Amino acid sequence: MQNSSRDERIGGAVGGTVTLGLLAAWALHDLEELATVPGWWRRRLPALRERFPAVPEAVWRRAGSVDGQEFAVAVGVVAAVVAAASAAGRLTDGRSAAYQTALNAFGLHGLVHLAQAGLVRDYTPGSVTSPLVVVPFTLWARRRLRRAGVLRATRPRDLAVALGFAGAATVVAHGVARRLTGH
């Protein structure tokens, strides 16, 4: 018991740092997005349209129509999803499939941000906290889950499900936000 972490001593091999930490890491990451997304889109949209002409105009119109209020509400909707997944992880000591899928989705989401920044060859919202918070937290949490013996094997299909989960959460969140804000 001497070498145990506080989380292990208070109930569980994984504990709240790993499970509820997902929500905390997500919140740090989304603070960056909340602070930068609306202004970034306004400034960058014309250059992006010109640089990527193969992207359908409807995509550019939709991206350009998201204002700060709608984006903030969408972030709140995703917060509820991440909070629920984190709570499921805490209640099951990290065993929850929903928690592990959300954790994988979070890490893959960070890699998508880094790929976007690489594609644009400039800053994109989320690209600062992705290498500093998102990816390191995900790798650390997965290591802790593995050491505790509760990490499910991750197959390519699981990664596709995690990316689909992240994409679906984003689409649903923006749909709800659009409806709630009347945009």
Side-chain angles (χ1 to χ4, degrees), residues 87-154:
R90 183 65 177 134
L91 291 170
T92 62
D93 201 31
R95 288 174 176 81
S96 163
Y99 166 74
Q100 289 191 24
T101 299
L103 178 65
N104 290 337
F106 183 58
L108 292 169
H109 168 80
L111 295 177
V112 167
H113 277 299
L114 295 175
Q116 289 169 335
L119 187 63
V120 173
R121 288 186 237 127
D122 199 357
Y123 171 81
T124 58
S127 64
V128 169
T129 53
S130 286
L132 298 176
V133 176
V134 177
V135 173
F137 175 82
T138 302
L139 294 173
W140 173 82
R142 287 180 51 81
R143 269 193 310 277
R144 290 285 305 268
L145 293 169
R146 188 176 302 109
R147 269 190 270 167
V150 299
L151 182 65
R152 294 177 301 133
T154 307

Coordinates of all heavy atoms in Angstrom, one line a residue, residues 87-154:
A87 N -18.1 10.0 -16.2 CA -18.8 9.4 -15.0 C -18.9 7.9 -15.2 O -18.7 7.2 -14.2 CB -20.1 10.1 -14.9
A88 N -19.2 7.5 -16.4 CA -19.3 6.0 -16.6 C -18.0 5.4 -16.4 O -17.9 4.3 -15.8 CB -19.8 5.7 -18.0
G89 N -16.9 6.0 -16.8 CA -15.6 5.5 -16.5 C -15.3 5.4 -15.0 O -14.7 4.5 -14.5
R90 N -15.6 6.5 -14.3 CA -15.4 6.5 -12.8 C -16.2 5.4 -12.1 O -15.7 4.7 -11.2 CB -15.8 7.9 -12.3 CG -15.5 8.1 -10.8 CD -14.0 8.0 -10.6 NE -13.8 8.2 -9.1 CZ -12.9 7.5 -8.4 NH1 -12.3 6.5 -9.0 NH2 -12.8 7.8 -7.2
L91 N -17.5 5.3 -12.5 CA -18.3 4.3 -11.9 C -17.9 2.8 -12.1 O -18.2 1.9 -11.3 CB -19.8 4.5 -12.3 CG -20.5 5.7 -11.8 CD1 -21.8 5.9 -12.5 CD2 -20.6 5.7 -10.3
T92 N -17.2 2.6 -13.2 CA -16.7 1.3 -13.6 C -15.2 1.1 -13.4 O -14.7 0.1 -13.9 CB -17.1 0.9 -15.0 OG1 -16.5 1.9 -15.9 CG2 -18.6 1.0 -15.2
D93 N -14.6 2.1 -12.8 CA -13.1 2.0 -12.6 C -12.4 1.9 -14.0 O -11.4 1.2 -14.1 CB -12.7 0.9 -11.7 CG -11.3 1.2 -11.1 OD1 -10.9 2.4 -10.9 OD2 -10.6 0.2 -10.8
G94 N -12.9 2.6 -15.0 CA -12.3 2.6 -16.3 C -12.7 1.6 -17.2 O -12.3 1.5 -18.4
R95 N -13.5 0.6 -16.8 CA -13.9 -0.5 -17.7 C -15.0 -0.1 -18.7 O -15.2 -0.9 -19.7 CB -14.4 -1.6 -16.8 CG -13.4 -2.3 -16.0 CD -13.9 -3.4 -15.0 NE -12.9 -4.1 -14.4 CZ -12.2 -3.6 -13.3 NH1 -12.5 -2.4 -12.8 NH2 -11.3 -4.4 -12.7
S96 N -15.7 0.9 -18.5 CA -16.8 1.3 -19.3 C -16.4 1.4 -20.8 O -15.4 2.1 -21.1 CB -17.4 2.6 -18.9 OG -18.2 3.2 -19.9
A97 N -17.2 0.7 -21.7 CA -16.9 0.8 -23.1 C -17.1 2.3 -23.6 O -16.4 2.8 -24.4 CB -17.8 -0.1 -23.9
A98 N -18.1 2.9 -23.0 CA -18.4 4.3 -23.4 C -17.2 5.2 -23.0 O -16.8 6.1 -23.8 CB -19.7 4.8 -22.7
Y99 N -16.7 5.0 -21.8 CA -15.5 5.8 -21.4 C -14.3 5.6 -22.3 O -13.7 6.5 -22.8 CB -15.2 5.5 -19.9 CG -13.8 6.1 -19.6 CD1 -13.6 7.4 -19.4 CD2 -12.7 5.2 -19.5 CE1 -12.3 7.9 -19.1 CE2 -11.5 5.7 -19.2 CZ -11.3 7.0 -19.0 OH -10.0 7.5 -18.8
Q100 N -14.0 4.3 -22.5 CA -12.8 4.0 -23.4 C -13.0 4.5 -24.8 O -12.0 5.0 -25.4 CB -12.5 2.5 -23.3 CG -12.0 2.1 -21.9 CD -11.4 0.7 -21.9 OE1 -11.0 0.2 -22.9 NE2 -11.4 0.1 -20.7
T101 N -14.2 4.4 -25.3 CA -14.5 4.9 -26.7 C -14.3 6.4 -26.7 O -13.7 7.0 -27.6 CB -15.9 4.5 -27.2 OG1 -15.9 3.1 -27.2 CG2 -16.2 5.1 -28.5
A102 N -14.8 7.1 -25.7 CA -14.7 8.6 -25.6 C -13.2 9.0 -25.4 O -12.7 10.0 -26.0 CB -15.5 9.1 -24.4
L103 N -12.5 8.2 -24.6 CA -11.0 8.5 -24.5 C -10.3 8.3 -25.8 O -9.5 9.2 -26.2 CB -10.4 7.5 -23.4 CG -8.9 7.7 -23.2 CD1 -8.6 9.0 -22.6 CD2 -8.4 6.6 -22.3
N104 N -10.6 7.3 -26.5 CA -10.0 7.1 -27.9 C -10.4 8.2 -28.8 O -9.6 8.7 -29.6 CB -10.3 5.7 -28.4 CG -9.6 4.6 -27.7 OD1 -8.6 4.8 -27.1 ND2 -10.2 3.4 -27.8
A105 N -11.7 8.6 -28.8 CA -12.1 9.6 -29.6 C -11.4 10.9 -29.3 O -11.1 11.7 -30.2 CB -13.7 9.8 -29.4
F106 N -11.2 11.2 -28.1 CA -10.5 12.4 -27.6 C -9.1 12.5 -28.2 O -8.7 13.5 -28.8 CB -10.5 12.5 -26.1 CG -9.9 13.7 -25.5 CD1 -10.4 15.0 -25.8 CD2 -8.8 13.6 -24.6 CE1 -9.8 16.1 -25.3 CE2 -8.3 14.8 -24.1 CZ -8.8 16.0 -24.4
G107 N -8.4 11.4 -28.1 CA -7.0 11.3 -28.6 C -7.0 11.4 -30.1 O -6.2 12.2 -30.7
L108 N -7.9 10.7 -30.8 CA -7.9 10.8 -32.2 C -8.3 12.2 -32.7 O -7.8 12.7 -33.7 CB -8.9 9.8 -32.8 CG -8.4 8.3 -32.6 CD1 -9.5 7.4 -33.0 CD2 -7.1 8.1 -33.5
H109 N -9.2 12.8 -32.0 CA -9.6 14.2 -32.2 C -8.4 15.2 -32.2 O -8.3 16.0 -33.0 CB -10.7 14.6 -31.2 CG -11.0 16.1 -31.2 ND1 -11.9 16.7 -32.1 CD2 -10.6 17.0 -30.3 CE1 -12.0 17.9 -31.8 NE2 -11.3 18.2 -30.7
G110 N -7.5 14.9 -31.2 CA -6.3 15.7 -31.1 C -5.4 15.5 -32.3 O -4.8 16.5 -32.8
L111 N -5.3 14.3 -32.8 CA -4.5 14.0 -34.0 C -5.1 14.7 -35.2 O -4.4 15.2 -36.1 CB -4.4 12.5 -34.2 CG -3.6 11.8 -33.1 CD1 -3.5 10.3 -33.4 CD2 -2.2 12.3 -33.0
V112 N -6.4 14.7 -35.3 CA -7.1 15.4 -36.4 C -6.8 16.9 -36.4 O -6.5 17.5 -37.4 CB -8.6 15.2 -36.4 CG1 -9.4 16.2 -37.3 CG2 -9.0 13.8 -36.7
H113 N -6.8 17.5 -35.2 CA -6.3 18.9 -35.1 C -4.9 19.1 -35.6 O -4.7 20.1 -36.3 CB -6.4 19.4 -33.6 CG -7.8 19.8 -33.2 ND1 -8.5 20.9 -33.8 CD2 -8.6 19.4 -32.2 CE1 -9.6 21.0 -33.2 NE2 -9.7 20.1 -32.2
L114 N -4.0 18.2 -35.2 CA -2.6 18.4 -35.7 C -2.5 18.2 -37.2 O -1.8 18.9 -37.9 CB -1.7 17.4 -35.0 CG -1.6 17.6 -33.5 CD1 -0.8 16.5 -32.8 CD2 -1.0 19.0 -33.2
A115 N -3.3 17.3 -37.8 CA -3.4 17.1 -39.2 C -3.9 18.3 -39.9 O -3.4 18.8 -41.0 CB -4.2 15.9 -39.6
Q116 N -5.0 18.9 -39.3 CA -5.5 20.2 -39.9 C -4.5 21.3 -39.9 O -4.3 22.0 -40.9 CB -6.7 20.6 -39.1 CG -7.9 19.8 -39.2 CD -9.0 20.1 -38.2 OE1 -8.7 20.7 -37.1 NE2 -10.3 19.8 -38.6
A117 N -3.7 21.4 -38.8 CA -2.7 22.5 -38.8 C -1.6 22.2 -39.8 O -1.1 23.1 -40.4 CB -2.1 22.6 -37.4
G118 N -1.3 20.9 -40.0 CA -0.3 20.6 -41.0 C -0.8 20.8 -42.4 O 0.0 21.4 -43.2
L119 N -2.0 20.5 -42.6 CA -2.6 20.8 -44.0 C -2.7 22.3 -44.3 O -2.4 22.7 -45.4 CB -4.0 20.1 -44.0 CG -4.8 20.1 -45.3 CD1 -4.0 19.3 -46.3 CD2 -6.2 19.6 -45.2
V120 N -3.1 23.0 -43.3 CA -3.2 24.5 -43.5 C -1.8 25.2 -43.4 O -1.6 26.3 -43.9 CB -4.2 25.1 -42.5 CG1 -4.2 26.6 -42.5 CG2 -5.6 24.5 -42.7
R121 N -0.9 24.5 -42.8 CA 0.5 25.0 -42.5 C 0.5 26.3 -41.7 O 1.2 27.2 -42.0 CB 1.2 25.2 -43.9 CG 1.6 23.9 -44.5 CD 2.5 24.1 -45.7 NE 1.8 23.5 -46.9 CZ 1.5 24.1 -48.0 NH1 1.9 25.3 -48.2 NH2 0.9 23.4 -48.9
D122 N -0.4 26.2 -40.7 CA -0.6 27.4 -39.8 C -1.4 26.9 -38.6 O -1.8 25.8 -38.5 CB -1.3 28.5 -40.6 CG -1.1 29.9 -39.9 OD1 -0.5 30.0 -38.9 OD2 -1.7 30.8 -40.5
Y123 N -1.5 27.8 -37.7 CA -2.3 27.6 -36.5 C -3.8 27.3 -36.9 O -4.3 27.9 -37.8 CB -2.3 28.8 -35.5 CG -3.4 28.6 -34.4 CD1 -3.0 27.9 -33.3 CD2 -4.6 29.2 -34.5 CE1 -4.0 27.7 -32.3 CE2 -5.6 29.0 -33.5 CZ -5.2 28.2 -32.4 OH -6.1 28.0 -31.4
T124 N -4.4 26.3 -36.3 CA -5.8 26.0 -36.4 C -6.3 25.9 -35.0 O -5.6 25.4 -34.1 CB -6.1 24.7 -37.2 OG1 -5.5 23.6 -36.6 CG2 -5.7 24.9 -38.6
P125 N -7.6 26.2 -34.7 CA -8.1 26.1 -33.3 C -8.0 24.7 -32.8 O -8.3 23.7 -33.5 CB -9.6 26.5 -33.5 CG -9.6 27.5 -34.6 CD -8.5 26.9 -35.6
G126 N -7.4 24.6 -31.6 CA -7.2 23.3 -31.0 C -5.8 22.7 -31.2 O -5.5 21.7 -30.6
S127 N -5.0 23.3 -32.1 CA -3.7 22.7 -32.4 C -2.7 23.0 -31.4 O -1.6 22.4 -31.4 CB -3.3 23.2 -33.8 OG -3.1 24.6 -33.9
V128 N -2.9 23.9 -30.4 CA -1.9 24.2 -29.3 C -2.1 23.1 -28.2 O -1.2 22.5 -27.8 CB -2.1 25.6 -28.8 CG1 -1.2 25.8 -27.5 CG2 -1.6 26.6 -29.9
T129 N -3.4 23.0 -27.8 CA -3.6 22.0 -26.7 C -3.6 20.6 -27.1 O -3.5 19.7 -26.3 CB -4.9 22.4 -26.0 OG1 -6.0 22.4 -26.9 CG2 -4.9 23.7 -25.2
S130 N -3.7 20.3 -28.4 CA -3.7 18.9 -28.8 C -2.3 18.2 -28.5 O -2.3 17.2 -27.9 CB -4.0 18.8 -30.3 OG -5.4 19.0 -30.5
P131 N -1.2 18.8 -28.8 CA 0.1 18.1 -28.5 C 0.5 18.3 -27.0 O 1.3 17.5 -26.5 CB 1.1 18.8 -29.4 CG 0.6 20.1 -29.7 CD -0.9 20.0 -29.7
L132 N -0.1 19.3 -26.4 CA 0.3 19.6 -25.0 C -0.7 18.9 -24.0 O -0.3 18.6 -22.8 CB 0.2 21.1 -24.7 CG 1.2 21.9 -25.5 CD1 1.0 23.4 -25.3 CD2 2.7 21.5 -25.3
V133 N -1.9 18.7 -24.3 CA -2.9 18.2 -23.4 C -3.6 16.9 -23.9 O -3.6 15.9 -23.3 CB -4.0 19.2 -23.0 CG1 -5.1 18.6 -22.1 CG2 -3.4 20.4 -22.4
V134 N -4.2 17.0 -25.1 CA -5.1 16.0 -25.6 C -4.3 14.6 -25.8 O -4.7 13.6 -25.2 CB -5.7 16.4 -26.9 CG1 -6.6 15.3 -27.5 CG2 -6.6 17.6 -26.7
V135 N -3.3 14.7 -26.6 CA -2.6 13.4 -27.0 C -1.8 12.9 -25.7 O -1.9 11.7 -25.4 CB -1.6 13.6 -28.2 CG1 -0.8 12.4 -28.4 CG2 -2.5 14.0 -29.4
P136 N -1.1 13.7 -25.0 CA -0.4 13.2 -23.8 C -1.4 12.6 -22.8 O -1.1 11.5 -22.2 CB 0.4 14.4 -23.2 CG 0.5 15.3 -24.4 CD -0.7 15.1 -25.2
F137 N -2.5 13.3 -22.5 CA -3.5 12.8 -21.5 C -4.0 11.4 -22.0 O -4.1 10.5 -21.2 CB -4.6 13.7 -21.3 CG -5.7 13.1 -20.4 CD1 -5.5 13.1 -19.0 CD2 -6.8 12.4 -20.9 CE1 -6.4 12.4 -18.2 CE2 -7.7 11.7 -20.1 CZ -7.5 11.7 -18.7
T138 N -4.4 11.3 -23.3 CA -4.9 10.1 -23.8 C -3.9 8.9 -23.7 O -4.3 7.8 -23.2 CB -5.3 10.3 -25.3 OG1 -6.3 11.3 -25.4 CG2 -5.9 9.0 -25.9
L139 N -2.7 9.2 -24.1 CA -1.6 8.1 -23.9 C -1.4 7.7 -22.5 O -1.3 6.5 -22.2 CB -0.3 8.6 -24.6 CG -0.4 8.8 -26.1 CD1 0.9 9.4 -26.6 CD2 -0.7 7.5 -26.8
W140 N -1.4 8.7 -21.6 CA -1.2 8.4 -20.2 C -2.3 7.6 -19.6 O -2.1 6.7 -18.9 CB -1.0 9.8 -19.4 CG -1.0 9.6 -17.9 CD1 0.1 9.2 -17.2 CD2 -2.1 9.8 -17.0 NE1 -0.3 9.2 -15.9 CE2 -1.6 9.5 -15.7 CE3 -3.4 10.2 -17.2 CZ2 -2.4 9.6 -14.6 CZ3 -4.2 10.2 -16.1 CH2 -3.7 10.0 -14.8
A141 N -3.6 8.1 -19.9 CA -4.8 7.4 -19.4 C -4.8 5.9 -19.9 O -5.1 5.0 -19.2 CB -6.0 8.1 -19.8
R142 N -4.5 5.7 -21.2 CA -4.5 4.4 -21.8 C -3.4 3.5 -21.1 O -3.7 2.3 -20.8 CB -4.3 4.4 -23.3 CG -5.5 4.9 -24.0 CD -5.3 5.0 -25.5 NE -4.8 3.7 -26.1 CZ -5.5 2.6 -26.3 NH1 -6.8 2.7 -26.2 NH2 -4.9 1.6 -26.8
R143 N -2.3 4.1 -20.8 CA -1.2 3.3 -20.0 C -1.8 2.9 -18.7 O -1.6 1.8 -18.2 CB 0.0 4.2 -19.9 CG 1.0 4.0 -21.0 CD 2.4 4.5 -20.6 NE 2.4 5.9 -20.2 CZ 2.4 7.0 -20.9 NH1 2.3 6.9 -22.3 NH2 2.4 8.2 -20.4
R144 N -2.4 3.8 -18.0 CA -3.0 3.5 -16.6 C -4.0 2.4 -16.7 O -4.1 1.5 -15.9 CB -3.6 4.8 -16.0 CG -2.6 5.8 -15.5 CD -1.8 5.4 -14.3 NE -2.6 5.1 -13.2 CZ -3.1 5.9 -12.2 NH1 -2.7 7.2 -12.3 NH2 -3.9 5.5 -11.3
L145 N -4.9 2.5 -17.7 CA -5.9 1.5 -17.9 C -5.3 0.1 -18.2 O -5.7 -0.9 -17.7 CB -6.9 1.9 -19.1 CG -7.8 3.1 -18.8 CD1 -8.5 3.5 -20.1 CD2 -8.8 2.8 -17.7
R146 N -4.2 0.1 -19.1 CA -3.5 -1.1 -19.4 C -2.9 -1.7 -18.2 O -3.0 -2.9 -17.9 CB -2.5 -0.8 -20.5 CG -1.8 -2.1 -21.0 CD -0.8 -1.8 -22.1 NE -1.4 -1.1 -23.3 CZ -1.2 0.2 -23.6 NH1 -0.4 0.9 -22.9 NH2 -1.8 0.7 -24.6
R147 N -2.2 -0.9 -17.4 CA -1.6 -1.4 -16.1 C -2.6 -1.9 -15.2 O -2.3 -2.9 -14.4 CB -0.8 -0.3 -15.5 CG 0.7 -0.3 -16.0 CD 1.5 0.7 -15.1 NE 1.4 2.0 -15.8 CZ 1.7 3.1 -15.3 NH1 2.2 3.2 -14.1 NH2 1.6 4.2 -16.0
A148 N -3.8 -1.4 -15.1 CA -4.8 -1.8 -14.2 C -5.5 -3.1 -14.8 O -6.3 -3.7 -14.1 CB -5.9 -0.7 -14.0
G149 N -5.2 -3.4 -16.0 CA -5.8 -4.6 -16.6 C -7.2 -4.4 -17.1 O -7.9 -5.4 -17.3
V150 N -7.6 -3.2 -17.4 CA -9.0 -2.9 -17.8 C -9.1 -2.4 -19.2 O -10.2 -2.2 -19.7 CB -9.8 -2.0 -16.8 CG1 -9.8 -2.7 -15.4 CG2 -9.1 -0.6 -16.7
L151 N -8.0 -2.1 -19.9 CA -8.0 -1.5 -21.2 C -8.4 -2.6 -22.2 O -7.8 -3.7 -22.3 CB -6.6 -0.9 -21.6 CG -6.6 -0.3 -23.0 CD1 -7.5 1.0 -23.0 CD2 -5.1 0.1 -23.3
R152 N -9.5 -2.3 -22.9 CA -9.9 -3.3 -24.0 C -8.9 -3.2 -25.1 O -8.3 -2.2 -25.4 CB -11.3 -2.9 -24.5 CG -12.4 -3.0 -23.4 CD -13.8 -2.6 -23.9 NE -13.7 -1.2 -24.3 CZ -14.2 -0.7 -25.5 NH1 -14.8 -1.5 -26.3 NH2 -14.2 0.6 -25.8
A153 N -8.7 -4.4 -25.8 CA -7.9 -4.4 -27.0 C -8.4 -3.4 -28.0 O -9.6 -3.3 -28.2 CB -7.9 -5.8 -27.6
T154 N -7.5 -2.7 -28.6 CA -8.0 -1.7 -29.6 C -7.6 -2.2 -31.0 O -6.5 -2.3 -31.4 CB -7.3 -0.3 -29.3 OG1 -7.5 0.0 -27.9 CG2 -7.8 0.8 -30.2

